[in-house]
Amino acid sequence: MESIPRLLVLAFGLCAGAAQAREAGDHHLQLGLVHVNTLDSSTPLRTQLRPSLLGGVLGIDSDFVSEGTAARVGSSETLLFIYSYYFTDRWSLKLEGGIPARFDIAGEGVVRPTGIAGSVISVDLGAPVNNPLASATQWSPVAMLQYSFGRPRDAVRPYVGVGLTYTWFTDVELDEDFDAALNDQFGRALALAAGKPGATRARADASPSFAPAFNAGIAMSLSERWNVSASVSYLMLSTESTIDILAADGARLARSRTALDLNPLAMSVLVGYRFRL
C-alpha cells in the first residue's frame, strides 16, 4: 500500500489544468484495487454439546464458554468495480461490486470443557499448526448515495457517501490441520459418549447480514472523460461464526459459535470513465 501516495501525487500532476464535468445524466464506471483491513473483535467461543455420558459421568456441562478464546480476521486485496449514475450535478447513486475478497481466520485460546475431562479433551485455537483456522470468501455488494463537493468542472472533487450492504460468505473451509485436531481431540470422544462411535467430521459457516456503509474520497480529472480517485470505505459488519462437529450419521455432536464484528476498512485506488447513453 506504500504505492498509493505515489499514485496520488502522480494523479495530481496529471490533472493540473484538466476539467471533467460530472453532471446530471452522466454514467461513471470505475475499476481499481482495494486493500481491506478488518477492525475486528469477537466474543469467546460458546460450545453446546449433545447430551451424552460426558455430562452424567464426567460432569461436563452441555453448554460452556471457553474464556480467553477469540477469532481474528486477516487482511485481503482484490479488484473493485463501481457504477455510478449522476441524477444531479452533485448527487449520484453508486453500486459497488467486484471480485469478492478471500479472508483467513485465525484463533487464540483453548476450547476446554468443564469437569475433569477438560484436561484431556481440548483444542488449542492458537497453536501455530492449527492456524489459520479457516478461510472464507466475503460477498459485500454496496448500494450508496454519494454527494460530490465543488462544481461540475472542478478538476478535483471530494465526495462522501452513505449506503447499505448485504454480506454473505461462501467457500467457508476449515484448515486441514485444524479440522484433524477437532475430530481427533474432540470429535471421537463426543461420538463415543453419544453412542455413535467412529469417524467424525467438522464444518464451518458464517451468517449473512445487512450493514450500513460509509465512504469518503477524492476524484481527480485526467481528461474530459477519464479520472482517478482514492477512497476509504467503512462497513459496520457483524456475523455469527459457527463450527459443528458431526457424527458419521450426520447427528450434530457439538456446536461452537462466536459473535464476530468484522468492521472492514477498505482503501481503494480507482480509474474511472464518464459517458452518456
Side-chain angles (χ1 to χ4, degrees):
M1 298 305 294
E2 293 180 358
S3 61
I4 289 181
R6 298 177 185 176
L7 290 175
L8 293 180
V9 171
L10 177 61
F12 271 115
L14 291 173
C15 75
Q20 178 195 42
R22 286 178 293 280
E23 302 171 330
D26 281 355
H27 300 266
H28 191 202
L29 298 179
Q30 293 174 282
L31 178 68
L33 298 174
V34 57
H35 174 82
V36 184
N37 279 326
T38 54
L39 309 178
D40 58 322
S41 63
S42 69
T43 59
L45 267 71
R46 178 181 178 183
T47 301
Q48 295 172 301
L49 303 177
R50 181 185 180 94
S52 67
L53 295 175
L54 291 177
V57 177
L58 300 178
I60 295 179
D61 292 338
S62 61
D63 191 334
F64 62 90
V65 175
S66 298
E67 297 295 343
T69 56
R72 295 287 179 261
V73 181
S75 61
S76 182
E77 290 81 28
T78 189
L79 288 176
L80 181 65
F81 177 79
I82 299 175
Y83 164 76
S84 301
Y85 175 73
Y86 282 79
F87 50 89
T88 75
D89 293 348
R90 297 177 183 269
W91 290 97
S92 61
L93 176 65
K94 182 164 68 173
L95 303 176
E96 296 187 3
I99 298 177
R102 185 79 177 169
F103 292 95
D104 286 335
I105 304 166
E108 59 185 59
V110 178
V111 177
R112 179 179 287 117
T114 57
I116 59 175
S119 59
V120 179
I121 306 174
S122 64
V123 178
D124 186 355
L125 302 182
V129 69
N130 290 337
N131 278 275
L133 304 178
S135 59
T137 299
Q138 176 184 317
W139 299 75
S140 296
V142 179
M144 186 171 289
L145 185 65
Q146 180 177 291
Y147 179 82
S148 297
F149 297 92
R151 296 168 298 180
R153 290 194 170 273
D154 287 348
V156 178
R157 296 190 72 182
Y159 57 85
V160 294
V162 61
L164 186 68
T165 179
Y166 178 72
T167 296
W168 70 95
F169 301 87
T170 60
D171 300 323
V172 184
E173 299 176 351
L174 293 173
D175 174 77
E176 291 183 2
D177 292 322
F178 178 55
D179 190 7
L182 279 176
N183 290 296
D184 292 343
Q185 301 172 28
F186 217 76
R188 292 184 184 278
L190 294 177
L192 183 62
K196 298 177 179 293
T200 61
R201 61 185 178 92
R203 68 182 180 193
D205 199 5
S207 63
S209 64
F210 286 96
F214 306 92
N215 175 250
I218 185 169
M220 297 160 285
S221 297
L222 300 178
S223 68
E224 180 63 24
R225 295 189 178 276
W226 292 93
N227 65 79
V228 295
S229 62
S231 71
V232 177
S233 298
Y234 176 71
L235 307 182
M236 296 179 63
L237 178 60
S238 299
T239 184
E240 183 178 77
S241 178
T242 60
I243 298 176
D244 292 335
I245 297 179
L246 308 176
D249 64 358
R252 190 172 71 201
L253 303 173
R255 166 167 286 184
S256 294
R257 55 188 177 184
T258 178
L260 184 59
D261 292 330
L262 297 173
N263 298 333
L265 184 68
M267 297 165 283
S268 59
V269 176
L270 303 140
V271 175
Y273 181 76
R274 178 189 66 87
F275 63 96
R276 285 184 173 239
L277 298 177

